[in-house]
Amino acid sequence: MAGTGPTPLERFINGILPENPVYRQVLGMCPTLAVTNGMKSAMTMAGAVAFVLICANVLTSLIRNLLKPHLRILVFTLTIAVFVTIADRIIAAYMYDMSKQLGPYIPLIIVNCIIICRCEVCASKQGVFTAVSDAVGQSLGYALALTTIASVREILGSGTWFNIPVLPANWPDWVVMVLPPGAFLTLGLLMGAANWIGTNLGQRRKSAQEAA
Amino acid sequence: MKNNYLKQAWLVLVLAVCFGGALAGVEHSLSGRIKANKLADTLGQIPSLVPGAEQGNQEMVGGQLAYRAVDGAGTPVGWVVPVTGQGFADKIELLLGLNADASQITGIYILDQKETPGLGNKIVEPEWRGQFANKSISPALVVVKRKAEKANEIEAVTGATISSESVAGIVNQAAAAFRQKLAEGGQQ
Amino acid sequence: MDYLFEMLVLALTWALINNFVLHYFVGICPFIGVSRRVDMAFGMGCAVTFVITIAALLSWLITYYVLRAGAPLTTLLSGGKTLDLSILNYTVYIFVIAGSVQFLEMYIRKFFRPLYKAFGVFLPLITTNCAILFACLEIMKHVCAINDPLGGLVPSLVLAAFGGIGFMIAIVIMAGIREELDHCDVPKSLRGAGITLITAGILALAFMGFTGVDRGLQQLLQDKEQVAESAAAPAGQNN
């Protein structure tokens, strides 16, 4: 059924900013808060989510015509659980330190609303190429969101970025930023900032259109 | 009715079988590596915990898992015991290095801790941990808030007295318990 | 008596000190989404506690008897070979949770019709609540570890039930605060998720004050034991 719904390019671009999974759709909050105390763990999580999202989207899109309506959530869940197990094992085998740091948050990707949402909204209705571009777009958007939060938390909290010191040595680390309260505060303020930018851009576009 | 269910569920069953196969394959190819990673975490620390040791052999001493540290020739030179205890924030897991008759602590290594970043988690730093090297297990180690003067004193991490005291407490208790188990087992 | 005290300290730890929402960041989506009114929040908290306990019980049973390395039932069925089925852990847990939520839905539809209508779409969404899967994963960690005293059935159920109660405490507090915030002039860009997260940050800061309480209670217990022992010793010597 080609021609229905947004094109692959639209899906791709939408995922990065307009329909950003964290800032716009407010999905996948749990790992966003937990792993963003350092850039390294944030990027590992973004990579794991990208892997699961792309694989799940591809598989769901391939079998989309065989899905029975009331069993589809079951199929999505099964697919996602299997790919998350595979991702978890790969990380434990090849990045053992990261695996210890990320702990239970990799298996929690199974209940990450982003992936089920994309399977339901896009992959079960459109072709493989569209599904892949949607998955890649959403993953990039997610990685972007994680980068913004993790950068703020790591730079203010430990003075480093990817474990490289970026602030002078006498910076008094704002330890609260790497602790739970800092996570909530950072995400809340950044979300406010994203909303403000979004409304401002929208208003400017409107006034530019009205002036034209 | 049953036919209908089978028609509806055949996709789920086929997927389940395929996924089961994929998972079995992943398990088969990766589990060896994962187990080696877990062991390397502990075994890799043995040379730095017990002087002269090159590797460790897993043994059970009186119900306690321990690693007998041996040198290149295979002669036992000490023990490395993994212990867990309560820290300030959460459990602390550490490796305790002892000499051959468990009368001296040769060093400690923190495996896992969730202490306050920037304060309590300074217990993982080699400078602080190094205080535990070449300490006799009795009299028991005591944590002080100034420079250590007596042989059984450990200087606390500034601003993290409870984390430091927790580590010392875990070490004291584990060392004494292990020495007793060794004596009971009659091993040297 | 000691065991009971240990379980009470464990319960306190999971409800307040290692609060699921404010320390481990699980269950955030309903925390932001359902915390508008106190009665809805309380209902959601109770539902989640109920599902966590059932799911924890079932996953403990399955992990202990079937999935872990050297599990009794698997060894029995495979004719003595020790198998390690723990790669199926996550898949099994998510289906146990989905099943428990179905069970809860049937129960609520039959006995609490108005509550069922009030919940609407949020009831099946409990399946994607990270808190429940997190509880199962914590239990798996303790059951699969060697010689872990917290791997028994009772500590696992205490973990799950009081983790759920901790979630309920957090979400009810947040609902109370948000009901008050409705009367305040929140900046436009912060309305909704933004101000909720900032409030949650301040709440998390407050809950951090509970750190070390479990250690203090355990010290108290040990000191009491030592006092009792030294009181018993002279009494014994006098005999």
Side-chain angles (χ1 to χ4, degrees):
Chain A
M1 290 168 66
T4 50
T7 64
L9 191 61
E10 277 174 15
R11 284 281 189 208
F12 177 73
I13 297 184
N14 273 352
I16 305 182
L17 281 180
E19 276 179 33
N20 188 289
V22 174
Y23 287 127
R24 289 261 167 268
Q25 299 182 61
V26 194
L27 294 176
M29 293 278 105
C30 306
T32 313
L33 292 162
V35 307
T36 42
N37 50 6
M39 275 303 290
K40 203 156 169 231
S41 19
M43 288 301 105
T44 314
M45 172 60 82
V49 168
F51 171 73
V52 176
L53 190 51
I54 294 175
C55 294
N57 261 19
V58 166
L59 193 68
T60 312
S61 185
L62 285 174
I63 60 173
R64 72 184 182 284
N65 292 321
L66 304 167
L67 287 172
K68 303 284 182 280
H70 45 270
L71 284 181
R72 70 185 192 290
I73 302 283
L74 188 80
V75 171
F76 297 158
T77 314
L78 182 61
T79 315
I80 297 171
V82 168
F83 282 121
V84 168
T85 312
I86 296 178
D88 179 60
R89 286 291 187 266
I90 292 180
I91 295 183
Y94 293 106
M95 296 185 250
Y96 190 64
D97 287 329
M98 265 299 117
S99 166
K100 278 204 296 188
Q101 242 185 313
L102 291 174
Y105 293 104
I106 297 282
L108 282 180
I109 299 180
I110 302 178
V111 287
N112 193 325
C113 308
I114 300 178
I115 309 187
I116 291 202
C117 194
R118 297 332 290 175
C119 281
E120 166 79 7
V121 164
C122 172
S124 60
K125 300 193 174 113
Q126 297 188 276
V128 177
F129 188 58
T130 322
V132 169
S133 29
D134 182 66
V136 173
Q138 291 280 325
S139 310
L140 281 179
Y142 188 65
L144 186 68
L146 285 188
T147 307
T148 48
I149 304 170
S151 301
V152 171
R153 284 183 73 192
E154 191 179 356
I155 294 181
L156 290 178
S158 352
T160 61
W161 198 72
F162 266 113
N163 291 334
I164 311 168
V166 289
L167 288 180
N170 54 6
W171 167 259
D173 297 333
W174 293 8
V175 175
V176 74
M177 293 310 258
V178 292
L179 294 175
F184 285 112
L185 288 169
T186 314
L187 183 57
L189 290 170
L190 282 177
M191 223 180 242
N195 281 343
W196 186 79
I197 295 177
T199 1
N200 261 16
L201 279 179
Q203 276 179 350
R204 236 177 267 166
R205 221 175 271 153
K206 247 199 224 166
S207 44
Q209 280 178 350
E210 281 167 8
Chain B
M1 207 45 189
K2 248 192 210 169
N3 217 6
N4 212 5
Y5 276 148
L6 197 59
K7 255 199 248 173
Q8 308 248 335
W10 73 269
L11 178 67
V12 181
L13 293 174
V14 166
L15 277 179
V17 168
C18 293
F19 285 146
L23 285 180
V26 166
E27 168 83 352
H28 186 76
S29 54
L30 289 180
S31 64
R33 237 197 122 98
I34 298 177
K35 281 206 183 89
N37 279 342
K38 280 196 191 141
L39 218 49
D41 218 17
T42 316
L43 292 181
Q45 297 304 322
I46 292 185
S48 52
L49 279 177
V50 178
E54 284 193 12
Q55 51 177 345
N57 304 321
Q58 194 172 330
E59 290 185 23
M60 294 294 280
V61 177
Q64 164 75 43
L65 175 70
Y67 297 91
R68 193 193 288 268
V70 295
D71 67 7
T75 353
V77 289
W79 296 93
V80 170
V81 187
V83 281
T84 312
Q86 179 71 25
F88 171 61
D90 210 339
K91 296 258 183 282
I92 297 181
E93 271 183 53
L94 55 87
L95 290 176
L96 176 63
L98 298 163
N99 65 346
D101 64 355
S103 58
Q104 248 207 356
I105 300 169
T106 54
I108 63 167
Y109 179 74
I110 311 283
L111 280 174
D112 192 30
Q113 51 82 24
K114 299 224 172 32
E115 307 298 287
T116 319
L119 291 171
N121 78 349
K122 291 218 168 94
I123 58 176
V124 303
E125 281 169 18
E127 302 88 52
W128 190 79
R129 285 189 286 119
Q131 294 182 86
F132 286 86
N134 298 326
K135 289 264 189 264
S136 168
I137 72 170
S138 76
L141 296 173
V142 165
V143 171
V144 293
K145 289 194 207 184
R146 43 170 173 76
K147 280 249 171 300
E149 282 157 17
K150 291 192 221 134
N152 70 331
E153 285 182 354
I154 302 271
E155 187 183 346
V157 175
T158 323
T161 319
I162 299 190
S163 299
S164 318
E165 282 177 354
S166 308
V167 173
I170 297 172
V171 166
N172 283 335
Q173 207 219 12
F178 189 72
R179 183 174 168 78
Q180 191 169 19
K181 289 206 170 94
L182 259 191
E184 284 169 9
Q187 300 183 40
Q188 272 291 332
Chain C
M1 195 59 218
D2 268 349
Y3 190 66
L4 183 63
F5 193 79
E6 247 184 73
M7 290 298 114
L8 279 176
V9 173
L10 198 66
L12 194 70
T13 311
W14 284 106
L16 291 179
I17 305 170
N18 292 343
N19 186 289
F20 269 19
V21 180
L22 300 170
H23 183 87
Y24 283 118
F25 309 110
V26 285
I28 302 282
C29 294
F31 184 68
I32 299 180
V34 184
S35 56
R36 281 241 155 76
R37 282 165 36 206
V38 178
D39 48 2
M40 281 285 289
F42 185 68
M44 175 57 94
C46 289
V48 167
T49 310
F50 186 67
V51 175
I52 281 194
T53 317
I54 298 183
L57 177 66
L58 288 174
S59 39
W60 188 91
L61 288 172
I62 298 181
T63 314
Y64 189 79
Y65 287 113
V66 179
L67 289 177
R68 67 189 170 119
L73 268 181
T74 332
T75 322
L76 192 70
L77 290 172
S78 70
K81 268 196 297 193
T82 37
L83 290 176
D84 184 8
L85 293 179
S86 51
I87 192 143
L88 296 176
N89 274 352
Y90 306 149
T91 323
V92 169
Y93 292 158
I94 193 68
F95 280 115
V96 164
I97 295 171
S100 313
V101 172
Q102 275 293 89
F103 178 62
L104 174 79
E105 219 181 309
M106 291 188 323
Y107 182 71
I108 289 192
R109 192 158 65 183
K110 192 151 189 205
F111 292 112
F112 297 104
R113 258 253 99 115
L115 191 66
Y116 179 74
K117 287 216 177 77
F119 267 135
V121 73
F122 285 116
L123 207 46
L125 276 184
I126 296 182
T127 318
T128 55
N129 188 331
C130 308
I132 311 179
L133 185 59
F134 180 76
C136 293
L137 293 172
E138 279 293 304
I139 293 174
M140 166 188 91
K141 194 170 76 173
H142 290 302
V143 170
C144 293
I146 318 169
N147 287 340
D148 194 332
L150 292 176
L153 181 58
V154 175
S156 303
L157 286 180
V158 166
L159 191 164
F162 283 91
I165 290 181
F167 173 80
M168 179 161 71
I169 293 175
I171 201 176
V172 168
I173 295 179
M174 179 56 85
I177 296 178
R178 277 184 94 173
E179 277 188 357
E180 292 298 314
L181 274 180
D182 277 342
H183 304 298
C184 298
D185 191 16
V186 179
K188 191 147 169 267
S189 35
L190 282 178
R191 275 184 210 158
I195 196 67
T196 313
L197 286 166
I198 296 178
T199 317
I202 303 175
L203 257 183
L205 210 53
F207 269 66
M208 266 180 72
F210 285 120
T211 319
V213 167
D214 52 346
R215 192 174 181 280
L217 284 174
Q218 281 171 350
Q219 292 275 61
L220 193 68
L221 176 68
Q222 278 176 348
D223 290 342
K224 265 205 183 138
E225 270 180 9
Q226 283 171 356
V227 167
E229 272 172 22
S230 50
Q237 285 171 1
N238 282 342
N239 272 354

